[in-house]
């Protein structure tokens, strides 16, 4: 009995092993797929190492990209240095003085700014995305240092100038800029200070200057002309 039982088990085991090997045996389609995959990977590796396929420069920076990055870094450092030098242009008894430029942030802020006194009001309109506006900002501060009020680090007024200076950001005052009719940035508007309707053209716009390369000379010339007409 045991011999027959053992014989039967061995036959079953042999039959099951043959069936399993037949099921796991790869077909012709799977062989072809694996061979194509292996061939494609081999060709890709060979062409990559031989330099036939160009590498994406976005992920593999070249020497030129390194030079551009270095130049940009140096330029940023120079800008920081120039700003630090600019802040120390006017020194009096060891005190750092800066130009007072009022930021007009509310829609009714322009009227409030103009009504403070009867001096000329020089207002810069700029946009945060405008590169020319950022470059002109340094020049505008120099004009404000020469013609406007000066304050110290404690924001105390040290000197009263012939004109007052302000700035309007287009991003926070879109409606105001449209009401003023400004279409290009940066633009400088010159107003006569004072409340409207009090005579002498107070509160009215006198000049509109679209800032180009010669903008500094134009603005200073207009301010001097208006001051001479006003007897200052």
């Amino acid at each position: 009995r045991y011999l027959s039982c053992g014989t039967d088990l061995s036959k079953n085991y042999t039959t099951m092993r043959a069936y399993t090997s037949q099921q796991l045996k790869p077909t012709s389609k799977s062989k072809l797929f694996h061979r194509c995959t292996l061939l494609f990977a081999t060709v890709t590796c060979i062409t990559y190492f031989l330099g036939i396929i160009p590498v994406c420069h976005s992920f593999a920076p070249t020497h030129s990209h390194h030079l551009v990055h270095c130049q940009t870094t140096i330029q940023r450092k120079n800008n920081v240095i120039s700003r630090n030098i600019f802040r120390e242009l006017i020194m009096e008894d060891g005190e750092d003085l800066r130009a007072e430029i009022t930021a007009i942030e509310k829609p009714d802020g322009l009227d409030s700014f103009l009504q403070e006194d009867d001096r000329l009001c020089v207002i810069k309109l700029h946009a945060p995305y405008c590169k020319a506006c950022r470059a002109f900002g340094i020049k505008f501060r120099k004009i404000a240092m020469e013609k406007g009020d000066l304050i110290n680090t404690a924001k105390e007024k040290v000197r009263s100038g012939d004109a007052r200076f302000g700035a309007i950001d287009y991003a926070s005052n879109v409606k105001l800029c449209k009401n003023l009719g400004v279409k290009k940035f940066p633009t400088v508007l010159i107003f006569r200070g004072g409340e409207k309707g009090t005579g002498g053209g107070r509160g009215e716009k006198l000049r509109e200057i679209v800032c180009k390369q010669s903008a500094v000379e134009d603005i200073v010339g207009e301010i001097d002309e208006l001051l001479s007409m006003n007897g200052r």
Side-chain angles (χ1 to χ4, degrees):
R1 181 189 300 179
Y2 293 109
L3 289 175
S4 60
C5 181
T7 304
D8 293 338
L9 287 175
S10 61
K11 287 182 180 180
N12 292 336
Y13 176 74
T14 305
T15 305
M16 184 176 62
R17 184 176 180 183
Y19 175 77
T20 305
S21 62
Q22 185 178 2
Q23 292 294 326
L24 296 177
K25 186 177 181 180
T27 61
S28 60
K29 292 184 178 180
S30 61
K31 284 183 178 181
L32 180 62
F33 175 76
H34 289 301
R35 288 176 181 176
C36 291
T37 305
L38 182 60
L39 179 62
F40 176 76
T42 305
V43 173
T44 303
C45 292
I46 293 174
T47 52
Y48 174 78
F49 286 111
L50 292 178
I52 299 176
I53 299 178
V55 183
C56 179
H57 293 286
S58 300
F59 299 95
T62 60
H63 181 65
S64 60
H65 291 143
H66 178 70
L67 291 178
V68 172
H69 175 72
C70 293
Q71 291 175 358
T72 306
T73 306
I74 294 172
Q75 185 178 4
R76 290 176 180 175
K77 291 182 179 179
N78 292 336
N79 290 339
V80 173
I81 294 173
S82 63
R83 291 174 186 173
N84 294 334
I85 295 175
F86 172 75
R87 290 174 181 174
E88 299 175 358
L89 284 177
I90 296 181
M91 302 288 292
E92 186 174 343
D93 297 332
E95 188 176 14
D96 186 9
L97 304 181
R98 305 178 184 182
E100 183 180 15
I101 301 177
T102 304
I104 301 173
E105 299 177 349
K106 298 181 180 180
D108 57 345
L110 178 61
D111 293 334
S112 301
F113 178 73
L114 296 178
Q115 293 172 9
E116 289 184 10
D117 55 42
D118 59 349
R119 289 182 293 171
L120 290 178
C121 298
V122 184
I123 301 174
K124 175 189 68 172
L125 290 89
H126 62 98
Y129 54 82
C130 175
K131 294 182 179 180
C133 296
R134 293 193 289 268
F136 176 73
I138 299 176
K139 301 177 182 179
F140 186 75
R141 287 194 293 269
K142 290 182 180 180
I143 300 174
M145 279 185 167
E146 181 182 353
K147 301 292 185 181
D149 300 338
L150 294 181
I151 58 176
N152 55 19
T153 54
K155 296 184 179 181
E156 298 174 348
K157 186 179 293 186
V158 178
R159 187 198 73 184
S160 295
D162 296 329
R164 292 186 294 115
F165 287 77
I168 299 177
D169 188 351
Y170 175 77
S172 57
N173 294 281
V174 178
K175 186 176 180 181
L176 178 59
C177 292
K178 290 183 178 180
N179 293 336
L180 293 173
V182 176
K183 298 180 180 179
K184 295 182 179 180
F185 299 100
T187 296
V188 171
L189 303 179
I190 302 178
F191 291 83
R192 177 75 67 189
E195 188 176 356
K196 290 184 179 180
T198 57
R202 303 191 185 280
E204 300 295 335
K205 182 171 67 174
L206 303 177
R207 299 288 189 275
E208 179 176 343
I209 305 171
V210 178
C211 301
K212 298 180 181 179
Q213 294 182 354
S214 60
V216 176
E217 292 79 6
D218 296 339
I219 295 171
V220 174
E222 294 290 347
I223 293 175
D224 292 339
E225 181 180 356
L226 293 172
L227 290 175
S228 61
M229 292 171 58
N230 197 29
R232 290 190 178 183

